[in-house]
Amino acid sequence: MSHVSGGGSIDLSDTDSLQEWINMTGFLCALGGVCLQQRSNSGLATYSPPMGPVSERKGSMISVMSSEGNTDTPVSKFMDRLLSLMVCNHEKVGLQIRTNVKDLVGLELSPALYPMLFNKLKNTISKFFDSQGQVLLTDTNTQFVEQTIAIMKNLLDNHTEGSSEHLGQASIETMMLNLVRNKMVEYLTDWVMGTSNQAADDDVKCLTRDLDQASMEAVVSLLAGLPLQPEEGDGVELMEAKSHEVEDENAQTGGRKRGMSRRLASLRHCTVLAMSNLLNANVDSGLMHSIGLGYHKDLQTRATFMEVLTKILQQGTEFDTLAETVLADRFERLVELVTMMGDQGELPIAMALANVVPCSQWDELARVLVTLFDSRHLLYQLLWNMFSKEVELADSMQTLFRGNSLASKIMTFCFKVYGATYLQKLLDPLLRIVITSSDWQHVSFEVDPTRLEQSESLEENQRNLLQMTEKFFHAIISSSSEFPPQLRSVCHCLYQVVSQRFPQNSIGAVGSAMFLRFINPAIVSPYEAGILDKKPPPRIERGLKLMSKILQSIANHVLFTKEEHMRPFNDFVKSNFDAARRFFLDIASDCPTSDAVNHSLSFISDGNVLALHRLLWNNQEKIGQYLSSNRDHKAVGRRPFDKMATLLAYLGPPEHKPVADTHWSSLNLTSSKFEEFMTR
């Protein structure tokens, strides 16, 4: 990656330079195999996987491996450089470098370099485990493994006819084992039960028993601490899938091993160990399903089951997972994981979820996140993270919280839920006076000359609109003492976050967002907002819409310029800038303590938890990728994601259809008309 002619560094953020680097690296990958051909013997071209004694196999392996024995060769250094770039974390082009290296190695690499690649991958990945065989969890290690999986998949899916001779020359089993444990258990158990005792020839039977023994020893190791998972998309419940495995193992233990001879004692021992490991890792479903075997009429089956039970007790199984509340406990832990906060105030799982969920599901995600975090008294932390992301990505102050981003939807949901009572108390009396009072019965508010009726006076209508706007505006700025404490937290958080990037406009952002997302929607559509029982008459609706424009201009601290018919109100707008600013400062300058906030709405209903489960399940792969690649989460590590993946594996797939959330719908705040209006 150094510039040969200039001696300096290439600016890989330049598209042409990056493309040139990609082309050259691809060229070297594709032709790198020629460096090895002169060193390998003539037998390489006709190489086939050897089936003879080990002593005969070594020659072919040594002839190939000698070319990479010297790690100082240029091709070996080139391969080392490629592998180091698989986890390139360059701030600007790291992702592009990683993606291209993965594709070039997986799709373009010369088959002659496969053995060298496999050995280098194996040697690198072997360093990811400590002396006890435990995984050393770091983001770089995880990223390297994910890249390796993608490369191996490409190599094995797309290998050409001539590449087969190279694929068998290096061992990859240690590298792949942990990735496919569930599948291997399934294949091995099917194999053992499907082939045993079917051969007629005694010699073949003996070999089959040896194969059974080796297979069961492998199964014992694979099942240690392994929660079984069903096939994705096969519609099998997790509990059912685990139970089938337990049944299969027990049939093998109790049924096949009756009258077992001394020669089969070792196989029996392995089978008992395998079932013990299986039950230990899946005790919540497995033991419940197999407990009846302790009362089986066959004494040997009963004794075998007691042996298995004894072993899982000796292994220290945690039986608290058998409690009736286990499902609720797991959902509770899932909520704790999503609301978990890092040392720097970051929310790794929640923010990862926010970044990968499709925008079509943002409304649901906003509801779920606000509900969960408020129930944990962590709403301020959620808002801080979401608002900070929005401010960071904003092009300018003018575009801040104007679009339908997730942060905007979260803000809107907070206003909608925590401000409903406040709006009802504030606007209901004002609206009823305008609609029912005799003084306003035949008043018109139309100020657009092109829409004026012949009998109407423009000046009089302007006075009417101004009079109504003044009444509403005065009521709003006088209501700070009634402003809900949760919304004070929202406004305070918004004020603080915006101050960091736009210090001159921070209080203006509060006012602009509050009127745009909260007060004006309720004024324009009081029926949809649940404030009135029926729609106002059309002339009143028109007046409310025009009034909302004036109020929004005051909140935005701008005068009318484009709409000619609104310019006469500029004096009124300008004269109220300071009063509005004082009101915004009042509601945003302090943040009430958590104890002072009424958490009457802070509960977690079943609908919200099930929605969270569905959102996490459907996006868990993307969440993992986000946590691995995003530089903001390097300090957090992968442990939260691993815990989440384990919990989801235990819970199994969610219901396919969204569950109706009776708690929230009873608040009458999820009117589809309101949502449509807010989207517009």
Side-chain angles (χ1 to χ4, degrees), residues 556-604:
N556 292 349
H557 215 75
V558 295
L559 300 175
F560 291 107
T561 54
K562 293 180 181 178
E563 293 178 289
E564 193 68 38
H565 61 278
M566 298 302 291
R567 285 189 178 184
F569 301 98
N570 276 342
D571 287 343
F572 175 79
V573 170
K574 193 173 183 179
S575 66
N576 284 297
F577 281 165
D578 289 341
R581 184 178 176 82
R582 284 194 297 273
F583 172 64
F584 301 147
L585 272 171
D586 189 7
I587 61 173
S589 56
D590 64 326
C591 182
T593 61
S594 181
D595 296 336
V597 176
N598 176 16
H599 284 270
S600 59
L601 295 176
S602 305
F603 57 83
I604 308 177

Short mmCIF file of all heavy atoms in Angstrom, two decimals, residues 556-604:
data_model
loop_
_atom_site.label_atom_id
_atom_site.label_comp_id
_atom_site.label_asym_id
_atom_site.label_seq_id
_atom_site.Cartn_x
_atom_site.Cartn_y
_atom_site.Cartn_z
N ASN A 556 -40.15 28.89 14.65
CA ASN A 556 -38.95 28.78 13.80
C ASN A 556 -38.11 30.06 13.81
O ASN A 556 -37.00 30.07 13.27
CB ASN A 556 -39.33 28.46 12.36
CG ASN A 556 -39.91 27.06 12.21
OD1 ASN A 556 -39.86 26.25 13.13
ND2 ASN A 556 -40.48 26.79 11.05
N HIS A 557 -38.69 31.15 14.34
CA HIS A 557 -37.99 32.44 14.38
C HIS A 557 -37.72 32.97 12.97
O HIS A 557 -36.65 33.51 12.68
CB HIS A 557 -36.65 32.28 15.14
CG HIS A 557 -36.29 33.50 15.96
ND1 HIS A 557 -36.90 33.80 17.15
CD2 HIS A 557 -35.39 34.50 15.75
CE1 HIS A 557 -36.39 34.90 17.66
NE2 HIS A 557 -35.46 35.36 16.81
N VAL A 558 -38.70 32.79 12.09
CA VAL A 558 -38.57 33.29 10.71
C VAL A 558 -39.84 34.04 10.30
O VAL A 558 -40.92 33.79 10.85
CB VAL A 558 -38.32 32.14 9.71
CG1 VAL A 558 -36.99 31.46 9.96
CG2 VAL A 558 -39.45 31.12 9.73
N LEU A 559 -39.70 34.93 9.35
CA LEU A 559 -40.83 35.71 8.83
C LEU A 559 -41.32 35.10 7.52
O LEU A 559 -40.60 34.35 6.86
CB LEU A 559 -40.40 37.16 8.60
CG LEU A 559 -39.91 37.93 9.83
CD1 LEU A 559 -39.43 39.31 9.43
CD2 LEU A 559 -41.02 38.05 10.88
N PHE A 560 -42.57 35.42 7.15
CA PHE A 560 -43.13 34.95 5.88
C PHE A 560 -42.51 35.72 4.72
O PHE A 560 -42.41 36.94 4.76
CB PHE A 560 -44.65 35.16 5.86
CG PHE A 560 -45.40 34.25 6.80
CD1 PHE A 560 -45.97 34.76 7.97
CD2 PHE A 560 -45.55 32.90 6.53
CE1 PHE A 560 -46.66 33.94 8.85
CE2 PHE A 560 -46.24 32.07 7.40
CZ PHE A 560 -46.80 32.59 8.56
N THR A 561 -42.06 34.98 3.71
CA THR A 561 -41.50 35.63 2.51
C THR A 561 -42.15 35.10 1.23
O THR A 561 -42.45 35.85 0.32
CB THR A 561 -39.98 35.40 2.43
OG1 THR A 561 -39.71 33.98 2.50
CG2 THR A 561 -39.26 36.10 3.56
N LYS A 562 -42.38 33.80 1.17
CA LYS A 562 -42.88 33.19 -0.07
C LYS A 562 -44.39 33.38 -0.24
O LYS A 562 -44.86 33.67 -1.33
CB LYS A 562 -42.54 31.70 -0.09
CG LYS A 562 -41.04 31.43 -0.19
CD LYS A 562 -40.76 29.94 -0.22
CE LYS A 562 -39.26 29.67 -0.29
NZ LYS A 562 -38.95 28.22 -0.27
N GLU A 563 -45.16 33.21 0.81
CA GLU A 563 -46.62 33.33 0.71
C GLU A 563 -47.02 34.80 0.93
O GLU A 563 -47.00 35.31 2.05
CB GLU A 563 -47.30 32.42 1.75
CG GLU A 563 -47.08 30.94 1.48
CD GLU A 563 -47.72 30.07 2.55
OE1 GLU A 563 -47.20 30.05 3.69
OE2 GLU A 563 -48.74 29.43 2.27
N GLU A 564 -47.41 35.43 -0.15
CA GLU A 564 -47.73 36.86 -0.12
C GLU A 564 -48.85 37.16 0.87
O GLU A 564 -48.80 38.16 1.60
CB GLU A 564 -48.12 37.30 -1.53
CG GLU A 564 -48.17 38.80 -1.73
CD GLU A 564 -46.80 39.45 -1.67
OE1 GLU A 564 -45.83 38.85 -2.17
OE2 GLU A 564 -46.71 40.55 -1.10
N HIS A 565 -49.88 36.31 0.90
CA HIS A 565 -51.05 36.61 1.75
C HIS A 565 -50.76 36.44 3.25
O HIS A 565 -51.58 36.84 4.08
CB HIS A 565 -52.24 35.72 1.35
CG HIS A 565 -51.98 34.24 1.50
ND1 HIS A 565 -51.30 33.50 0.57
CD2 HIS A 565 -52.31 33.38 2.50
CE1 HIS A 565 -51.23 32.24 0.96
NE2 HIS A 565 -51.83 32.15 2.15
N MET A 566 -49.58 35.85 3.60
CA MET A 566 -49.23 35.69 5.01
C MET A 566 -48.32 36.81 5.51
O MET A 566 -48.08 36.93 6.71
CB MET A 566 -48.55 34.33 5.24
CG MET A 566 -49.40 33.11 4.93
SD MET A 566 -50.96 33.04 5.86
CE MET A 566 -50.37 32.74 7.52
N ARG A 567 -47.80 37.63 4.61
CA ARG A 567 -46.86 38.69 5.01
C ARG A 567 -47.46 39.70 5.98
O ARG A 567 -46.75 40.22 6.84
CB ARG A 567 -46.34 39.41 3.77
CG ARG A 567 -45.31 38.58 3.00
CD ARG A 567 -44.67 39.40 1.91
NE ARG A 567 -43.66 38.64 1.20
CZ ARG A 567 -42.89 39.14 0.25
NH1 ARG A 567 -43.02 40.42 -0.11
NH2 ARG A 567 -42.00 38.38 -0.36
N PRO A 568 -48.75 40.01 5.89
CA PRO A 568 -49.32 40.99 6.85
C PRO A 568 -49.18 40.57 8.31
O PRO A 568 -49.32 41.40 9.21
CB PRO A 568 -50.80 41.05 6.44
CG PRO A 568 -50.81 40.68 4.99
CD PRO A 568 -49.73 39.66 4.83
N PHE A 569 -48.88 39.27 8.56
CA PHE A 569 -48.77 38.80 9.95
C PHE A 569 -47.34 38.84 10.47
O PHE A 569 -47.08 38.43 11.61
CB PHE A 569 -49.31 37.36 10.05
CG PHE A 569 -50.74 37.23 9.62
CD1 PHE A 569 -51.06 36.79 8.35
CD2 PHE A 569 -51.77 37.58 10.48
CE1 PHE A 569 -52.38 36.69 7.94
CE2 PHE A 569 -53.10 37.48 10.08
CZ PHE A 569 -53.41 37.03 8.81
N ASN A 570 -46.42 39.35 9.65
CA ASN A 570 -45.01 39.36 10.05
C ASN A 570 -44.75 40.21 11.29
O ASN A 570 -43.90 39.87 12.12
CB ASN A 570 -44.12 39.82 8.90
CG ASN A 570 -43.79 38.68 7.94
OD1 ASN A 570 -43.93 37.51 8.29
ND2 ASN A 570 -43.35 39.00 6.73
N ASP A 571 -45.46 41.31 11.42
CA ASP A 571 -45.27 42.15 12.61
C ASP A 571 -45.64 41.39 13.88
O ASP A 571 -44.93 41.45 14.89
CB ASP A 571 -46.12 43.43 12.50
CG ASP A 571 -45.56 44.40 11.47
OD1 ASP A 571 -44.37 44.23 11.10
OD2 ASP A 571 -46.30 45.30 11.02
N PHE A 572 -46.78 40.69 13.81
CA PHE A 572 -47.22 39.89 14.96
C PHE A 572 -46.20 38.78 15.25
O PHE A 572 -45.84 38.53 16.42
CB PHE A 572 -48.59 39.28 14.67
CG PHE A 572 -49.07 38.34 15.75
CD1 PHE A 572 -49.62 38.83 16.93
CD2 PHE A 572 -48.97 36.95 15.59
CE1 PHE A 572 -50.05 37.96 17.93
CE2 PHE A 572 -49.40 36.08 16.59
CZ PHE A 572 -49.95 36.60 17.76
N VAL A 573 -45.74 38.10 14.20
CA VAL A 573 -44.75 37.02 14.36
C VAL A 573 -43.49 37.55 15.04
O VAL A 573 -43.00 36.99 16.03
CB VAL A 573 -44.41 36.40 12.98
CG1 VAL A 573 -43.20 35.46 13.11
CG2 VAL A 573 -45.61 35.64 12.42
N LYS A 574 -42.97 38.65 14.53
CA LYS A 574 -41.72 39.21 15.04
C LYS A 574 -41.85 39.67 16.49
O LYS A 574 -40.95 39.49 17.31
CB LYS A 574 -41.29 40.37 14.15
CG LYS A 574 -39.86 40.83 14.40
CD LYS A 574 -39.46 41.86 13.36
CE LYS A 574 -38.01 42.29 13.55
NZ LYS A 574 -37.60 43.28 12.52
N SER A 575 -43.00 40.25 16.82
CA SER A 575 -43.20 40.79 18.17
C SER A 575 -43.27 39.69 19.23
O SER A 575 -43.15 39.98 20.43
CB SER A 575 -44.48 41.64 18.21
OG SER A 575 -45.61 40.80 18.00
N ASN A 576 -43.47 38.44 18.81
CA ASN A 576 -43.61 37.34 19.77
C ASN A 576 -42.40 36.39 19.82
O ASN A 576 -42.44 35.37 20.51
CB ASN A 576 -44.87 36.53 19.46
CG ASN A 576 -46.13 37.26 19.90
OD1 ASN A 576 -46.34 37.51 21.08
ND2 ASN A 576 -46.96 37.62 18.93
N PHE A 577 -41.35 36.75 19.10
CA PHE A 577 -40.14 35.93 19.13
C PHE A 577 -39.62 35.74 20.55
O PHE A 577 -39.31 34.62 20.98
CB PHE A 577 -39.04 36.55 18.25
CG PHE A 577 -39.20 36.30 16.77
CD1 PHE A 577 -38.48 37.05 15.84
CD2 PHE A 577 -40.07 35.32 16.30
CE1 PHE A 577 -38.62 36.82 14.48
CE2 PHE A 577 -40.22 35.09 14.94
CZ PHE A 577 -39.49 35.84 14.03
N ASP A 578 -39.50 36.83 21.28
CA ASP A 578 -38.91 36.76 22.63
C ASP A 578 -39.79 35.98 23.60
O ASP A 578 -39.28 35.21 24.42
CB ASP A 578 -38.67 38.17 23.17
CG ASP A 578 -37.52 38.87 22.45
OD1 ASP A 578 -36.71 38.15 21.83
OD2 ASP A 578 -37.45 40.11 22.50
N ALA A 579 -41.11 36.19 23.51
CA ALA A 579 -42.02 35.47 24.42
C ALA A 579 -41.94 33.97 24.18
O ALA A 579 -41.92 33.17 25.14
CB ALA A 579 -43.46 35.96 24.20
N ALA A 580 -41.87 33.59 22.90
CA ALA A 580 -41.76 32.16 22.57
C ALA A 580 -40.43 31.60 23.08
O ALA A 580 -40.38 30.50 23.65
CB ALA A 580 -41.86 31.96 21.06
N ARG A 581 -39.37 32.37 22.90
CA ARG A 581 -38.04 31.92 23.33
C ARG A 581 -38.01 31.68 24.85
O ARG A 581 -37.43 30.71 25.32
CB ARG A 581 -37.00 32.95 22.91
CG ARG A 581 -35.57 32.53 23.23
CD ARG A 581 -34.57 33.58 22.75
NE ARG A 581 -33.22 33.23 23.14
CZ ARG A 581 -32.45 32.37 22.48
NH1 ARG A 581 -32.91 31.76 21.41
NH2 ARG A 581 -31.23 32.09 22.89
N ARG A 582 -38.64 32.59 25.60
CA ARG A 582 -38.68 32.43 27.07
C ARG A 582 -39.42 31.15 27.45
O ARG A 582 -39.02 30.43 28.37
CB ARG A 582 -39.33 33.65 27.72
CG ARG A 582 -38.45 34.88 27.77
CD ARG A 582 -39.01 35.94 28.70
NE ARG A 582 -40.31 36.45 28.26
CZ ARG A 582 -40.48 37.45 27.40
NH1 ARG A 582 -39.41 38.07 26.89
NH2 ARG A 582 -41.68 37.86 27.06
N PHE A 583 -40.51 30.87 26.74
CA PHE A 583 -41.29 29.64 27.01
C PHE A 583 -40.45 28.39 26.72
O PHE A 583 -40.40 27.45 27.51
CB PHE A 583 -42.56 29.64 26.15
CG PHE A 583 -43.33 28.34 26.19
CD1 PHE A 583 -43.90 27.88 27.36
CD2 PHE A 583 -43.48 27.57 25.04
CE1 PHE A 583 -44.61 26.68 27.40
CE2 PHE A 583 -44.19 26.38 25.07
CZ PHE A 583 -44.76 25.94 26.25
N PHE A 584 -39.74 28.40 25.57
CA PHE A 584 -38.91 27.25 25.20
C PHE A 584 -37.77 27.05 26.21
O PHE A 584 -37.45 25.91 26.58
CB PHE A 584 -38.34 27.42 23.79
CG PHE A 584 -39.38 27.58 22.72
CD1 PHE A 584 -39.15 28.38 21.61
CD2 PHE A 584 -40.60 26.92 22.83
CE1 PHE A 584 -40.11 28.52 20.62
CE2 PHE A 584 -41.57 27.06 21.84
CZ PHE A 584 -41.33 27.86 20.74
N LEU A 585 -37.17 28.13 26.65
CA LEU A 585 -36.10 28.03 27.66
C LEU A 585 -36.64 27.45 28.96
O LEU A 585 -35.97 26.65 29.63
CB LEU A 585 -35.49 29.41 27.91
CG LEU A 585 -34.33 29.83 27.00
CD1 LEU A 585 -33.98 31.28 27.22
CD2 LEU A 585 -33.10 28.94 27.26
N ASP A 586 -37.85 27.86 29.31
CA ASP A 586 -38.46 27.41 30.56
C ASP A 586 -38.66 25.89 30.57
O ASP A 586 -38.37 25.22 31.56
CB ASP A 586 -39.81 28.12 30.76
CG ASP A 586 -40.40 27.86 32.13
OD1 ASP A 586 -39.69 27.25 32.96
OD2 ASP A 586 -41.55 28.26 32.38
N ILE A 587 -39.13 25.35 29.43
CA ILE A 587 -39.44 23.91 29.41
C ILE A 587 -38.21 23.05 29.08
O ILE A 587 -38.27 21.83 29.21
CB ILE A 587 -40.57 23.59 28.41
CG1 ILE A 587 -40.16 23.97 26.98
CG2 ILE A 587 -41.86 24.26 28.82
CD1 ILE A 587 -41.14 23.54 25.92
N ALA A 588 -37.11 23.69 28.65
CA ALA A 588 -35.95 22.90 28.22
C ALA A 588 -34.72 23.09 29.09
O ALA A 588 -33.76 22.33 28.97
CB ALA A 588 -35.58 23.24 26.78
N SER A 589 -34.74 24.08 29.97
CA SER A 589 -33.50 24.41 30.69
C SER A 589 -33.23 23.50 31.87
O SER A 589 -32.11 23.40 32.35
CB SER A 589 -33.54 25.86 31.17
OG SER A 589 -34.70 26.06 31.97
N ASP A 590 -34.25 22.80 32.36
CA ASP A 590 -34.01 21.89 33.48
C ASP A 590 -34.57 20.52 33.13
O ASP A 590 -35.50 20.38 32.35
CB ASP A 590 -34.66 22.40 34.77
CG ASP A 590 -36.17 22.46 34.67
OD1 ASP A 590 -36.66 22.74 33.55
OD2 ASP A 590 -36.85 22.22 35.67
N CYS A 591 -33.96 19.50 33.74
CA CYS A 591 -34.40 18.12 33.51
C CYS A 591 -34.86 17.54 34.84
O CYS A 591 -34.05 17.41 35.77
CB CYS A 591 -33.26 17.30 32.92
SG CYS A 591 -33.73 15.59 32.55
N PRO A 592 -36.12 17.17 34.97
CA PRO A 592 -36.60 16.63 36.24
C PRO A 592 -35.92 15.30 36.55
O PRO A 592 -35.56 14.54 35.65
CB PRO A 592 -38.10 16.42 36.00
CG PRO A 592 -38.26 16.35 34.52
CD PRO A 592 -37.18 17.20 33.95
N THR A 593 -35.71 15.02 37.84
CA THR A 593 -35.10 13.75 38.23
C THR A 593 -36.07 12.62 37.93
O THR A 593 -37.28 12.83 37.81
CB THR A 593 -34.78 13.76 39.74
OG1 THR A 593 -36.01 13.93 40.47
CG2 THR A 593 -33.82 14.88 40.07
N SER A 594 -35.51 11.43 37.84
CA SER A 594 -36.34 10.26 37.50
C SER A 594 -37.44 10.04 38.53
O SER A 594 -38.54 9.64 38.20
CB SER A 594 -35.44 9.03 37.40
OG SER A 594 -36.20 7.90 37.06
N ASP A 595 -37.13 10.32 39.80
CA ASP A 595 -38.12 10.11 40.86
C ASP A 595 -39.30 11.06 40.73
O ASP A 595 -40.42 10.75 41.11
CB ASP A 595 -37.48 10.29 42.24
CG ASP A 595 -36.41 9.24 42.50
OD1 ASP A 595 -36.49 8.17 41.87
OD2 ASP A 595 -35.50 9.51 43.31
N ALA A 596 -39.01 12.27 40.16
CA ALA A 596 -40.07 13.27 40.05
C ALA A 596 -41.01 12.99 38.89
O ALA A 596 -42.09 13.54 38.81
CB ALA A 596 -39.45 14.66 39.88
N VAL A 597 -40.58 12.12 37.98
CA VAL A 597 -41.38 11.83 36.80
C VAL A 597 -42.42 10.77 37.14
O VAL A 597 -42.11 9.74 37.73
CB VAL A 597 -40.49 11.35 35.64
CG1 VAL A 597 -41.33 10.95 34.44
CG2 VAL A 597 -39.50 12.44 35.25
N ASN A 598 -43.65 11.04 36.75
CA ASN A 598 -44.73 10.07 36.97
C ASN A 598 -44.63 8.97 35.92
O ASN A 598 -44.79 9.22 34.73
CB ASN A 598 -46.08 10.79 36.88
CG ASN A 598 -47.24 9.81 37.01
OD1 ASN A 598 -47.05 8.68 37.45
ND2 ASN A 598 -48.42 10.24 36.61
N HIS A 599 -44.38 7.76 36.38
CA HIS A 599 -44.21 6.66 35.43
C HIS A 599 -45.49 5.83 35.31
O HIS A 599 -45.45 4.62 35.19
CB HIS A 599 -43.05 5.77 35.86
CG HIS A 599 -41.71 6.38 35.58
ND1 HIS A 599 -41.05 6.18 34.40
CD2 HIS A 599 -40.94 7.21 36.31
CE1 HIS A 599 -39.91 6.84 34.41
NE2 HIS A 599 -39.82 7.47 35.57
N SER A 600 -46.62 6.49 35.33
CA SER A 600 -47.89 5.76 35.25
C SER A 600 -48.03 5.03 33.92
O SER A 600 -48.73 4.03 33.82
CB SER A 600 -49.07 6.73 35.43
OG SER A 600 -49.02 7.73 34.43
N LEU A 601 -47.36 5.54 32.87
CA LEU A 601 -47.44 4.88 31.57
C LEU A 601 -46.27 3.93 31.34
O LEU A 601 -46.16 3.34 30.27
CB LEU A 601 -47.45 5.94 30.45
CG LEU A 601 -48.67 6.87 30.41
CD1 LEU A 601 -48.48 7.91 29.33
CD2 LEU A 601 -49.94 6.08 30.18
N SER A 602 -45.41 3.82 32.34
CA SER A 602 -44.18 3.05 32.13
C SER A 602 -44.38 1.59 32.49
O SER A 602 -44.06 1.16 33.58
CB SER A 602 -43.05 3.64 32.96
OG SER A 602 -42.91 5.00 32.68
N PHE A 603 -44.94 0.84 31.59
CA PHE A 603 -45.08 -0.60 31.78
C PHE A 603 -44.67 -1.27 30.49
O PHE A 603 -44.61 -0.65 29.44
CB PHE A 603 -46.52 -0.97 32.15
CG PHE A 603 -47.52 -0.51 31.13
CD1 PHE A 603 -47.78 -1.25 29.99
CD2 PHE A 603 -48.20 0.69 31.30
CE1 PHE A 603 -48.69 -0.81 29.05
CE2 PHE A 603 -49.11 1.14 30.36
CZ PHE A 603 -49.35 0.38 29.23
N ILE A 604 -44.38 -2.57 30.60
CA ILE A 604 -44.03 -3.32 29.40
C ILE A 604 -45.16 -4.32 29.15
O ILE A 604 -45.32 -5.27 29.89
CB ILE A 604 -42.71 -4.08 29.56
CG1 ILE A 604 -41.60 -3.14 30.04
CG2 ILE A 604 -42.30 -4.74 28.27
CD1 ILE A 604 -40.29 -3.83 30.29
#
